[in-house]
Amino acid sequence: MSSTLPRAHSRDHLPEQAPGWAFFLDVDGTLLEIKEQPELARPTPRIKSIVQHLQLVTQGAVALISGRSIETLDEIFLPLVLPAAGLHGLQRRDARGHLHTEAIAGKSLDHTRQMLQEFCRRYPGTLLEDKGMAVAVHYRNAPAAEGPARSVVHQALEELGRGFEMKSGKMVFEIRPAGDNKGSAIADFMREAPFQGRLPVFIGDDVTDEDGFDMVNHMGGYSIRVGDNGKSNARYRIPNVEMVLHWLEEYHYTHWQ
Ligand SMILES: [Mg+2]
């Protein structure tokens, strides 16, 4: 069936769509516009329907690859329960619904959480996001707090010692156990049905997506970065969230049998 949608302006810069793809999709900044408060970003019915249709045409080979926890992804994508990697790959739920979680050796983030809470109280506009296995300081509403936020996160990491790392994203620093990342999560999905044997396509918008871009490049798939900002190993660029949604709709319309 041919598409009745208007053609996307940038399609010449994107890979030509073909059957047999597996889709790996970052959420914030890729499927959803970034909001000043991350908890306000919610998929619209249209976005849920795009993901659901994409699942239908790929025999289920669609996974969310996000920095959010799987619990939060389930809550915001309700009623969809999708294959997903959460916390940048520390959690993964495969297509059969089995949960794989990185085993964390001993140390708790309790003290780190307290330190960062204290920091956020001192710098109005900063926001602590508690993801359980990871904690993040957002400074989108307090850009001047970037330096101090970086310092307190480094200090917290020093106190935690080995086994933890910092991930910096768009106006956010996160402390998390070192280990799996978005790239390793994609590789794990690609070893399993219904992803196995398909061509991986990963769309993301941030530095934390670079591990995923590297992995799909390595696998001969397509890496696509949203937006023109920032250096990236992604082989393709797509201008914004709306164009991502449009391009995914186009895939569904073209490959619906
Ligand atoms: Mg993102």
Side-chain angles (χ1 to χ4, degrees), residues 69-105:
S69 68
I70 288 183
E71 296 74 25
T72 306
L73 293 174
D74 284 350
E75 193 190 308
I76 68 175
F77 279 88
L78 197 79
L80 304 182
V81 178
L82 300 156
L87 306 176
H88 306 288
L90 291 176
Q91 304 176 307
R92 192 175 72 89
R93 180 173 58 213
D94 66 26
R96 292 177 307 160
H98 292 187
L99 202 62
H100 309 254
T101 304
E102 179 96 338
I104 309 298

Side-chain angles (χ1 to χ4, degrees), residues 11 13 18-19 58 68 70 78 85 88 109 141 154 156-157 161 173 179 187 201 207 209 212 216 222 225 232 238 245:
R11 51 179 290 143
H13 305 295
T58 58
R68 295 189 187 239
I70 288 183
L78 197 79
H88 306 288
L109 285 171
N141 298 326
H154 278 299
L157 271 176
F173 294 118
V201 177
V207 282
D209 297 310
V216 301
Y222 295 126
R225 176 145 170 172
S232 176
I238 191 165
L245 298 177

Side-chain angles (χ1 to χ4, degrees), residues 24-26 29-30 65 181-184 186 200-227 229-238:
F24 298 100
L25 305 171
D26 169 54
T30 298
I65 308 287
N181 58 45
K182 289 190 171 191
S184 59
I186 291 171
V201 177
F202 175 48
I203 315 178
D205 71 306
D206 205 346
V207 282
T208 55
D209 297 310
E210 293 295 323
D211 296 316
F213 297 144
D214 289 339
M215 183 57 73
V216 301
N217 291 345
H218 174 72
M219 295 175 137
Y222 295 126
S223 50
I224 305 172
R225 176 145 170 172
V226 187
N229 305 328
K231 212 163 73 63
S232 176
N233 289 335
R235 301 224 163 115
Y236 297 89
R237 297 269 187 169
I238 191 165

